[in-house]
Amino acid sequence: MTSRRFVQVDVFADRPGAGNPLAVVLDAEGLDDAAMQAIARWTRLPETTFVFPATSDDASYGIRMFSPRREVPFAGHPSVGTAHVVLEAGLATPRDGLLVQDGIAGKLPLEVVGDGETRTIAVRTPRASVIETASAEDPRLRDVLAAMPLGDLPPVLMDGGRRWWLAELASEAELRAAIPDWAAIGALAEATGSMGLCAFARSDDPVHHLAVRAFVGSTGHFEDAASGAANATLAAWLADRDALPGSDGRYRISQGREVGHDAIIELHVDGNGDVWSGGRVQTVVRGTIDWR
């Protein structure tokens, strides 16, 4: 039996329970793919990450990400949460304010601002692109959007490592009151090789500029509490349409209230068109995991 450091954190959260949970296994050398998948299945969290020593001078650490069902090439909240754990464990130090994680999606920088409880971490996400735009009358979307009054932008399928359908709703109230048709969302995900539907609406709230709900139909039917990757894909779409809220390419979104969370994700589209997705992280559990 080998004992390894094990941490659970809450990502995109200013307090425990507000964001998206993540398990992180440090000292992951010696675990094979089957063992990592088994641990991820056992934690039953959206993702579990495994940290390895860096294999090149331009990386801070290596990372593998697993959902309970499969390995994940990239996801936002696991990237941000793992960076927080690595910093707390003293396994890496930012260079010029950046960490670099090395995973299936390549070497991705993470910007670290501040320290302690107010520290924020943001990952530069893989470039997203438009696959197709559609209308609410599209047969694939008709049932999904039937009870969701739409806003100005057309529905769009975007690919940012994972594919998401994005749909702007007419108001934050309409978004928060929406009841997903899970059968229709599951059929849409299967037919288009996508995660499902990420719906959003503009907000007059003083804290957040957009409200977002992400309905996953591809790996079981559930609403994501806080998705850094989905929101990064949305940021790329808004930038493409010159429709970013906020100022200087920076804005905040609210996600998760409908499923008992209250996450705030900070988005930044920089001058190169790259999207950074991040926020605060809370450590909730510190201990060890023993796995054969």
Side-chain angles (χ1 to χ4, degrees):
M1 190 79 75
T2 300
S3 185
R4 306 171 193 273
R5 286 175 290 178
F6 178 84
V7 183
Q8 283 191 210
V9 295
D10 205 13
V11 186
F12 306 134
D14 62 358
R15 63 193 185 280
N20 207 351
L22 172 74
V24 181
V25 178
L26 299 168
D27 319 309
E29 285 183 293
L31 290 172
D32 60 19
D33 290 10
M36 288 187 281
Q37 185 64 76
I39 293 171
R41 186 166 54 248
W42 175 78
T43 68
R44 305 182 77 175
L45 294 177
E47 275 93 16
T48 300
T49 63
F50 300 84
V51 178
F52 298 86
T55 57
S56 62
D57 292 339
D58 58 348
S60 304
Y61 54 90
I63 188 172
R64 301 276 297 273
M65 305 179 187
F66 288 79
S67 77
R69 296 190 178 193
R70 61 176 64 92
E71 185 165 12
V72 177
F74 170 77
H77 101 273
S79 299
V80 171
T82 302
H84 170 88
V85 173
V86 166
L87 288 171
E88 281 201 333
L91 296 180
T93 301
R95 299 178 186 174
D96 298 323
L98 298 175
L99 294 173
V100 178
Q101 71 173 28
D102 189 1
I104 291 177
K107 295 182 174 70
L108 296 176
L110 296 106
E111 181 183 44
V112 180
V113 178
D115 52 40
E117 292 186 357
T118 61
R119 178 174 61 205
T120 62
I121 301 171
V123 61
R124 191 188 73 195
T125 61
R127 287 265 179 160
S129 58
V130 176
I131 302 302
E132 64 170 303
T133 56
S135 75
E137 300 307 314
D138 187 302
R140 299 166 300 173
L141 295 168
R142 188 184 302 119
D143 291 342
V144 173
L145 301 174
M148 298 183 185
L150 296 184
D152 294 333
L153 295 179
V156 62
L157 178 61
M158 296 283 292
D159 192 333
R162 288 174 164 181
R163 290 188 174 191
W164 279 97
W165 280 97
L166 309 177
E168 181 179 12
L169 299 199
S171 70
E172 182 173 4
E174 296 279 6
L175 175 72
R176 295 200 181 278
I179 299 175
D181 182 332
W182 287 113
I185 291 171
L188 174 68
E190 182 177 357
T192 59
S194 67
M195 293 294 294
L197 174 70
C198 179
F200 67 98
R202 297 181 185 273
S203 175
D204 294 325
D205 190 278
V207 174
H208 59 268
H209 300 86
L210 297 179
V212 172
R213 298 180 67 182
F215 304 114
V216 179
S218 62
T219 54
H221 298 169
F222 68 95
E223 182 169 347
D224 200 328
S227 174
N231 278 288
T233 301
L234 171 57
W237 168 236
L238 295 175
D240 181 78
R241 287 301 180 106
D242 196 24
L244 287 168
S247 59
D248 300 325
R250 298 179 183 271
Y251 66 95
R252 294 179 299 278
I253 71 95
S254 166
Q255 187 177 354
R257 290 183 185 175
E258 293 72 25
V259 288
H261 299 257
D262 192 13
I264 295 293
I265 304 178
E266 301 180 12
L267 281 301
H268 176 210
V269 182
D270 67 21
N272 295 320
D274 286 314
V275 177
W276 299 74
S277 178
R280 293 168 62 180
V281 183
Q282 306 295 319
T283 300
V284 181
V285 177
R286 296 180 181 89
T288 59
I289 184 171
D290 297 324
W291 205 267
R292 293 185 187 276

